[in-house]
Every structure is written in structure tokens, then in C-alpha cells.
Amino acid sequence: WDAYAKKSEESNGVIAMIDLLIKDLDKELTEAETEEKEGQSDYESMMKVSAEKRTTDTAALTEKSSIKADIEAELEEHKEHMASTGKELMATMKYISSLH
């Protein structure tokens, strides 16, 4: 019966080793699933923040473009005013010189 006892002990060791491998695999699978869920959550959060930032940046760009257009229009008005004032000054100077 000793021979059968040794075989039984050997098979118990192999079975215990297989059980240990199964537990390790289950643990690794659980860890991988948890990491995947956390990664997905982080990705979704990042995408939400990016969308909000894009919206904010678009609004800021629109506002800045509007301000730029207003300033450019104002600049044109000032240039036109300066040109007309220059012509007026030249006419005044011509008149003054004709008086002398």
C-alpha cells in the first residue's frame, strides 16, 4: 500500500499546484479587469474635460475675433480721421501762407 500512498501524495501536490495556479490566474484577471475599469473611467473623464475645454476655447476664440474686428474697424476710422485732418491742416497751412 505504500506505493499507492506515494502516488496519492504526489497527486495531492500536483492538484495543490494546479489550484494555486488557478487562484493566481483568477487574481490576475480580477486585477486586469479593475485596471481596465479604472482606465476607462479615467479616459471618459479626460474626454469630458477636453470637450468642456474645447467649448470654452471656442467661445473665447469667437469673443476675441469679435473684439479684433471691432478694433480693426476703429483703427480704420482713426486712419480716415487722420487723413481728413491732415488734408484740413494742409488747406489751413495753404490759407495761412496765402495771407502773408
Side-chain angles (χ1 to χ4, degrees):
W1 297 96
D2 265 350
Y4 293 116
K6 285 184 181 177
K7 291 284 185 183
S8 176
E9 288 173 9
E10 287 176 15
S11 66
N12 283 342
V14 170
I15 291 172
M17 219 185 302
I18 290 173
D19 287 342
L20 183 62
L21 286 172
I22 290 171
K23 285 180 186 177
D24 286 346
L25 284 173
D26 285 341
K27 180 181 174 186
E28 287 178 18
L29 283 172
T30 303
E31 288 175 357
E33 287 173 357
T34 302
E35 287 177 7
E36 177 65 25
K37 286 178 184 176
E38 289 175 357
Q40 183 66 29
S41 174
D42 290 345
Y43 173 77
E44 289 171 1
S45 175
M46 181 189 68
M47 293 307 290
K48 181 179 177 185
V49 168
S50 293
E52 290 170 356
K53 184 175 182 330
R54 227 178 351 269
T55 301
T56 304
D57 290 348
T58 301
L61 181 63
T62 302
E63 181 182 350
K64 287 178 182 179
S65 295
S66 174
I67 291 170
K68 181 183 175 195
D70 292 343
I71 290 173
E72 286 176 344
E74 197 174 314
L75 177 63
E76 273 307 307
E77 288 176 18
H78 286 299
K79 283 181 180 179
E80 290 171 6
H81 180 68
M82 185 175 148
S84 70
T85 305
K87 288 178 184 175
E88 189 178 315
L89 175 64
M90 286 181 16
T92 304
M93 294 298 283
K94 186 175 181 181
Y95 175 72
I96 290 174
S97 70
S98 71
L99 292 176
H100 295 297

